[in-house]
Amino acid sequence: MLEWIANNAKSISAAASIGSFFIWLVYAQLLYHNFRRQRRPRVLINRGKSKGIDSLCIISNMSAESIFIEHIIARLETNCGSLLMDVTEFERNYQEGDEGGNIDGDREWRIADTTRQGPLESGKFLHIGTFSEVIERIARRSGLDLEGHWPCHEQVEFQRLTLRIIGIYGSEDHPVGVERSFLLRNEDNVCVLDPEHWDSRRLSSHWQRHKLKQLLLRISGEDISAQSTFVYPEKSDEHERA
């Protein structure tokens, strides 16, 4: 046995070197995948408390680091076009003296109570209210009357509600995003909410992040609601007759 090893020492050494190379290659691959997993943002949009239209819209940060939420954009798609709205800020009626305070903690509480913009720590979550509240807020902003959670106008039908989160992750130069769509349908005058896909879609490719950066520049200079394409059926009919 020893004589065979001595006679084949060069071959054995070469095989051991090749084996060590593959072991280190696998080890390096595992380290790389672990590094990518830690650097990859993972934000989830889901329903909470219940599964219907009155369920809470929950945003969870499952990333390894905190993510700074810049904007939360809601898109309500109908058969007459789409309605866009930035729902980052809470709806609140301000009163004189609300902007200040003598106690720092009280001031911090007021800021947290008026906006969802800010850092969301790893493993933490927040909610933006119920899905029905989001729909009602968009409809109220556009002057669309609702009966329950469905349009009063018989020619207008809701089709889809998409929520998009734009944020900054770690030391990245470009923003990252995540979105999830929920299908809407009328079932016996009740608006039913169903996820279109089982998971939230991450917008993290180079092209997607470039588009998000452009969107942030537009949002900073104008109201996102101005990009809505919704047209009331009456107006559409008048335009066709003209």
Side-chain angles (χ1 to χ4, degrees), residues 2-242:
L2 295 177
E3 182 180 355
W4 181 87
I5 293 176
N7 294 333
N8 297 275
K10 293 184 178 180
S11 299
I12 295 174
S13 178
S17 298
I18 295 174
S20 298
F21 170 77
F22 280 107
I23 290 174
W24 280 107
L25 183 64
V26 171
Y27 184 67
Q29 189 77 1
L30 291 175
L31 289 176
Y32 174 72
H33 281 296
N34 185 57
F35 173 77
R36 284 194 61 188
R37 183 182 63 83
Q38 291 181 349
R39 297 299 306 164
R40 180 184 300 169
R42 180 63 167 159
V43 180
L44 304 178
I45 303 173
N46 212 334
R47 297 172 295 178
K49 191 177 179 180
S50 62
K51 299 297 183 182
I53 193 70
D54 291 319
S55 59
L56 291 174
C57 180
I58 296 179
I59 300 170
S60 305
N61 180 21
M62 304 306 295
S63 312
E65 299 181 20
S66 300
I67 186 169
F68 186 91
I69 296 178
E70 287 273 5
H71 293 279
I72 304 174
I73 307 298
R75 177 191 294 270
L76 181 59
E77 298 178 44
T78 74
N79 61 326
C80 300
S82 61
L83 294 164
L84 283 167
M85 187 174 182
D86 189 338
V87 296
T88 312
E89 312 298 330
F90 286 92
E91 283 187 306
R92 182 180 177 186
N93 296 323
Y94 289 92
Q95 298 178 359
E96 185 177 355
D98 280 355
E99 68 282 357
N102 296 324
I103 302 176
D104 290 340
D106 183 61
R107 184 181 294 110
E108 292 175 359
W109 178 85
R110 292 185 189 280
I111 293 174
D113 196 48
T114 58
T115 182
R116 302 177 181 95
Q117 185 183 78
L120 182 61
E121 297 179 6
S122 175
K124 301 294 184 179
F125 70 91
L126 59 81
H127 71 81
I128 61 173
T130 64
F131 287 91
S132 61
E133 290 172 345
V134 174
I135 293 175
E136 291 168 2
R137 185 175 175 182
I138 298 174
R140 183 165 56 252
R141 176 68 178 270
S142 61
L144 181 63
D145 295 328
L146 300 181
E147 183 177 350
H149 307 305
W150 200 257
C152 292
H153 199 297
E154 59 182 10
Q155 296 184 33
V156 180
E157 294 182 357
F158 290 157
Q159 297 176 337
R160 183 183 289 105
L161 176 65
T162 301
L163 294 166
R164 174 179 291 186
I165 300 168
I166 306 175
I168 303 296
Y169 182 68
S171 59
E172 299 287 342
D173 295 329
H174 293 279
V176 296
V178 62
E179 67 178 20
R180 193 176 187 187
S181 297
F182 297 84
L183 299 177
L184 303 172
R185 69 178 191 276
N186 187 6
E187 191 173 284
D188 297 329
N189 294 324
V190 176
C191 186
V192 179
L193 178 85
D194 294 318
E196 188 170 16
H197 302 288
W198 71 272
D199 194 13
S200 305
R201 186 166 73 99
R202 186 168 55 246
L203 308 174
S204 57
S205 68
H206 179 75
W207 173 248
Q208 289 172 332
R209 297 172 78 172
H210 176 70
K211 298 292 288 184
L212 288 174
K213 191 173 183 179
Q214 291 181 327
L215 177 59
L216 282 176
L217 292 174
R218 290 201 304 269
I219 294 176
S220 63
E222 65 179 31
D223 186 358
I224 190 67
S225 301
Q227 300 182 25
S228 299
T229 60
F230 180 81
V231 178
Y232 283 94
E234 296 86 353
K235 296 181 180 180
S236 177
D237 294 341
E238 291 175 2
H239 178 73
E240 290 179 358
R241 287 196 297 269

